[in-house]
Amino acid sequence: MTVKSVQGAVRDLLDRITVDNFKDVTDFALFREQFMQLNGFAIDGIDFRGGSRP
């Protein structure tokens, strides 16, 4: 696999993505989960509805 072939595959994928299909064409669910966890949210075992304790 060459850099040009990877860039071409990425370009083709980006050209297919629309507002209507981005959740199907990309792995948006994984991106969202990891983004939330990196920012301290959506972590298993934590009840985010509860209050905080100082």
Side-chain angles (χ1 to χ4, degrees), residues 35-53:
F35 178 84
M36 295 295 285
Q37 289 174 347
L38 283 170
N39 289 284
F41 301 97
I43 300 171
D44 290 339
I46 297 177
D47 181 5
F48 291 98
R49 295 171 294 170
S52 62
R53 287 178 279 191

Side-chain angles (χ1 to χ4, degrees), residues 9-43:
V10 170
R11 187 177 318 108
D12 292 343
L13 178 63
L14 290 174
D15 287 343
R16 291 192 344 237
I17 296 174
T18 67
V19 172
D20 297 321
N21 73 3
F22 76 96
K23 289 182 181 178
D24 299 321
V25 176
T26 67
D27 196 350
F28 180 74
L30 177 63
F31 170 80
R32 184 181 187 281
E33 176 185 15
Q34 290 179 345
F35 178 84
M36 295 295 285
Q37 289 174 347
L38 283 170
N39 289 284
F41 301 97
I43 300 171

